[in-house]
Amino acid sequence: MDAALKKQLEITACKARMGIIEGTFNAKSGHPGGALSCVDIITYLYFAHMNVDAANPKDENRDRFVLSKGHAAPALYAVLALKGFFPQEWIKTLRKSDSKLQGHPSIAYTPGVDMCTGSLGQGISAACGMALGAKLSGKDFRVYTVLGDGEIQEGQVWEAAMYASAKKLDNLVAVVDNNNLQIDGSVEEVNSVYPIGEKFAAFGWNVIEINAHDFDEIEKAFAAARECKGRPTLLLAKSVKGKGVSYMEDQVGWHGKAPNEEEYKQAMDELNAALAVLEK
Amino acid sequence: MSDVIKMATRDAYGKALVELGEKNDKVIVLDADLAAATKTGMFKKAFPSRFIDSGIQESNMMGVAAGLATTGFTVFASTFAMFAAGRAFEQVRNSIGYPHLNVKIGATHAGISVGEDGASHQCCEDIALMRSIPGMVIINPADAVEARAAVLAAAEYEGPVYMRFGRLAVPCVFDDSYEFKWGKAVILSEGKDVTICATGLMVNEAIEAKKLLANEGIDAEIVNVPTIKPLDAETICASASKTGCVVTAEEHNIIGGLGSAVSEAICETGTCVPVVRVGVNDVFGKSGPAVELLHIFGLDAQNIADKAKKAISLKKQG
């Protein structure tokens, strides 16, 4: 990856992490851990890969993004705000009764959101429908979806996995954000999802394993996905829940809890320090 | 009247889809391995590239329908009512209803008249389930003529629609002059003693019940209610005010369907007349020939006539 682009993406992702903390802190609820684990990938998609235009969010030829793990909405909102889909001030209104930013993504409220998600397992099916829509209408837009690793315990994910492969949806890329943690514990303890790559490969997907926080690897994987014909691609993204905020990293307790005043300050101090280093 | 034309509403659905497909290339039909039964097979034969079979996965099919609709297609997603409204309820609610997407759910094999397959497949809860989803339109056509008209009208409407079709061939109530009026209930024949609000295959039974009641000097008004949501409360309540009592008739649980919707409208408008519901009396169905089952479960003209007399007696007590 071009060094300047990489630095720019790291800066943007760091700012998006601040948005996640800002939003959940002000909302006094939400899901920072799983938002921080997938925010690098969402940043990459919106700032370096997808064909989207904040001034024309409903462009019928745009690439689509479906956040199947809808509880990571703060990550999507932070990236959409930075990309200019809506004002940065909206971030502080997250989850409030007069906000355009719902607890889980909704096309009824938020410009730039392509699908209502949040009920786990459903986003990937909608993404399949969008990819099918591109094929049926002869358009070359591509569809991206991010799933949680706990989410793939839902049976509907495997219905969709079978479908995407059978219908040869090579314009679809699904990312499994493999932070290894779900509400009740590790995904191994609760109801093991492993081996993830082998399961998707058995369903006929092109599987690529990456470090979810390394933009070089992210770029290579999405480029490879674009070249893969005849089958959908699954990016098995090994991530760290809470990535970027020291006390949240790899802590299951930060799945669905907002930082308090002190925690907020510490997180922002850490992220500001990281940003200062990046911008030096 | 011995040569009454009989056709299942599912057959009319299949034919109407082909008709639609000919004039609108944005129409896509989805099915979940039931094309022969839901009659979407007719569309598949005519437009194979616009027919997509998901196999036996209704939840994913509804999600795919939602995604397809966001890309500008008018999507008809078909399976049995049990799986469309039951199995895939939450997908319909969250992926289609909440974003208010342009998906038409063609639910066939609704009600007891599924027949021999029995209770596992006899969905008498779908209207109740679909009514509870904000913004969902529910159409339950009386016969093949109305079914065709409803399908064509649904394609013109932007938003989610649940269309309820039957497996059993039923008499055609309407002729070619029939015009489907979106969201309207229609008085089929006027009367002064009791209002009978019927939907689906019970419309024909209501018409027969009127004859039975006439023999006893009772003059029933028959109201066809093809659109259960939004309900045409104005027409129904005006008729109820005129006759002073109401019977509802539907091939659905008496809980949550037309009877409930009419009762709510009657109460909330202060119409203050008795309402007696004819429907599946909060029990599961069972196997048997469809017509026999309809009689066993009281879904027939005789029971409607009996309940009409009950409604009239309640009116007199009042």
Side-chain angles (χ1 to χ4, degrees):
Chain A
M1 177 179 275
D2 175 74
L5 173 62
K6 185 174 179 179
K7 173 145 290 188
Q8 196 51 52
L9 287 169
E10 285 170 346
I11 288 169
T12 305
C14 187
K15 288 178 179 170
R17 285 193 158 85
M18 292 181 188
I20 292 167
I21 299 302
E22 194 74 55
T24 52
F25 167 66
N26 282 284
K28 297 186 174 63
S29 69
H31 302 82
L36 290 165
S37 65
C38 64
V39 74
D40 294 310
I41 282 166
I42 299 174
T43 298
Y44 175 77
L45 284 171
Y46 277 90
F47 281 86
H49 191 77
M50 292 199 313
N51 171 33
V52 289
D53 178 5
N56 190 11
K58 294 281 183 194
D59 179 3
E60 60 180 32
N61 295 312
R62 74 192 187 279
D63 289 334
R64 267 69 166 181
F65 179 76
V66 179
L67 186 61
S68 201
K69 52 171 292 188
H71 56 281
L76 177 59
Y77 296 152
V79 172
L80 289 176
L82 288 166
K83 187 75 182 169
F85 280 90
F86 49 78
Q88 192 67 37
E89 298 80 68
W90 286 18
I91 294 296
K92 288 185 181 176
T93 70
L94 175 68
R95 290 175 164 250
K96 297 193 190 300
S97 59
D98 57 352
S99 178
K100 302 247 186 237
L101 305 184
Q102 296 294 296
H104 294 83
S106 171
I107 60 177
Y109 287 85
T110 314
V113 169
D114 289 327
M115 186 61 198
C116 294
T117 53
S119 176
L120 295 178
Q122 295 195 28
I124 186 174
S125 293
C128 285
M130 293 174 188
L132 187 63
K135 298 267 182 196
L136 290 170
S137 52
K139 292 181 183 295
D140 61 1
F141 68 77
R142 295 173 62 78
V143 184
Y144 300 90
T145 182
V146 173
L147 298 104
D149 50 5
E151 179 180 9
I152 68 172
Q153 289 159 348
E154 288 282 4
Q156 187 176 348
V157 170
W158 301 101
E159 292 187 5
M162 184 184 290
Y163 188 92
S165 163
K167 307 303 181 193
K168 301 184 170 54
L169 301 178
D170 53 14
N171 52 350
L172 172 69
V173 181
V175 178
V176 171
D177 178 18
N178 187 198
N179 62 34
N180 198 47
L181 296 172
Q182 60 186 124
I183 296 174
D184 283 351
S186 81
V187 294
E188 280 164 308
E189 292 163 2
V190 176
N191 183 15
S192 183
V193 295
Y194 296 114
I196 298 171
E198 285 86 339
K199 285 190 177 76
F200 276 91
F203 274 69
W205 288 58
N206 169 41
V207 177
I208 304 171
E209 190 172 319
I210 57 167
N211 175 343
H213 309 299
D214 182 325
F215 284 109
D216 288 311
E217 290 191 26
I218 293 170
E219 180 184 59
K220 277 186 200 147
F222 279 109
R226 202 184 273 283
E227 296 309 312
C228 178
K229 302 299 173 200
R231 57 196 175 131
T233 292
L234 187 282
L235 302 192
L236 176 52
K238 295 287 185 184
S239 64
V240 175
K241 196 154 190 158
K243 175 74 175 176
V245 176
S246 62
Y247 60 87
M248 288 189 186
E249 287 194 0
D250 206 28
Q251 297 298 311
V252 72
W254 286 100
H255 173 87
K257 188 174 79 165
N260 63 25
E261 186 95 39
E262 190 184 334
E263 291 159 343
Y264 165 74
K265 193 171 175 304
Q266 186 187 336
M268 294 305 271
D269 285 348
E270 288 180 18
L271 291 168
N272 272 311
L275 186 64
V277 170
L278 286 166
E279 286 181 332
K280 213 185 294 179
Chain B
M1 290 299 283
S2 59
D3 56 348
V4 171
I5 300 165
K6 282 191 173 183
M7 190 196 280
T9 50
R10 62 173 167 149
D11 282 299
Y13 172 55
K15 288 181 180 175
L17 287 178
V18 174
E19 202 177 322
L20 265 180
E22 282 162 358
K23 57 185 181 188
N24 184 352
D25 65 5
K26 285 291 186 186
V27 169
I28 302 287
V29 175
L30 309 182
D31 206 301
D33 199 40
L34 290 169
T38 64
K39 302 299 175 184
T40 62
M42 296 182 201
F43 186 93
K44 177 185 182 179
K45 196 175 167 197
F47 309 102
S49 66
R50 287 193 273 144
F51 174 86
I52 318 284
D53 205 324
S54 66
I56 309 163
Q57 42 173 240
E58 298 79 12
S59 304
N60 182 52
M61 178 181 70
M62 291 304 177
V64 167
L68 261 176
T70 68
T71 66
F73 288 101
T74 300
V75 186
F76 285 77
S78 288
T79 181
F80 291 175
M82 188 69 255
F83 314 131
R87 168 80 59 105
F89 171 80
E90 204 229 325
Q91 284 75 18
V92 172
R93 192 256 190 205
N94 272 322
S95 287
I96 296 171
Y98 180 30
H100 201 71
L101 293 172
N102 198 25
V103 175
K104 319 303 168 187
I105 300 163
T108 69
H109 294 61
I112 288 289
S113 61
V114 163
E116 289 82 351
D117 276 356
S120 60
H121 287 58
Q122 291 162 332
C123 187
C124 297
E125 302 86 6
D126 55 329
I127 296 174
L129 288 162
M130 291 295 113
R131 276 186 71 214
S132 68
I133 298 176
M136 181 65 73
V137 171
I138 303 168
I139 303 176
N140 186 28
D143 72 353
V145 175
E146 187 167 67
R148 170 188 171 271
V151 172
L152 300 182
E156 296 296 315
Y157 169 84
E158 182 77 23
V161 180
Y162 180 84
M163 299 174 294
R164 186 178 204 247
F165 305 112
R167 173 177 182 268
L168 178 69
V170 293
C172 281
V173 177
F174 303 108
D175 60 28
D176 291 343
S177 65
Y178 174 82
E179 193 185 335
F180 183 80
K181 295 189 183 76
W182 193 259
K184 292 290 178 192
V186 181
I187 296 171
L188 298 182
S189 69
E190 294 196 16
K192 59 178 172 47
D193 297 324
V194 56
T195 295
I196 302 173
C197 290
T199 189
L201 59 73
M202 293 302 280
V203 173
N204 185 61
E205 297 303 314
I207 292 167
E208 294 301 316
K210 180 177 171 104
K211 295 174 191 166
L212 297 175
L213 290 165
N215 291 337
E216 299 183 47
I218 297 169
D219 187 12
E221 178 150 300
I222 310 299
V223 182
N224 174 32
V225 190
T227 311
I228 294 170
K229 187 180 176 185
L231 188 75
D232 183 359
E234 197 180 341
T235 300
I236 291 165
C237 292
S239 173
S241 293
K242 183 178 84 173
T243 64
C245 64
V246 177
V247 172
T248 60
E250 63 195 309
E251 190 195 6
H252 184 273
N253 195 330
I254 55 166
I255 296 171
L258 176 69
S260 292
V262 167
S263 299
E264 288 156 16
I266 293 285
C267 289
E268 292 191 347
T269 53
T271 308
C272 298
V273 301
V275 177
V276 179
R277 297 167 298 166
V278 172
V280 177
N281 202 14
D282 200 23
V283 293
F284 289 106
K286 62 176 184 176
S287 291
V291 174
E292 205 176 308
L293 290 179
L294 290 172
H295 290 303
I296 290 170
F297 286 90
L299 303 170
D300 59 13
Q302 187 58 57
N303 192 33
I304 294 173
D306 292 345
K307 294 299 186 296
K309 285 185 271 185
K310 183 183 172 190
I312 290 167
S313 73
L314 288 170
K315 170 168 66 169
K316 284 172 182 160
Q317 283 170 21

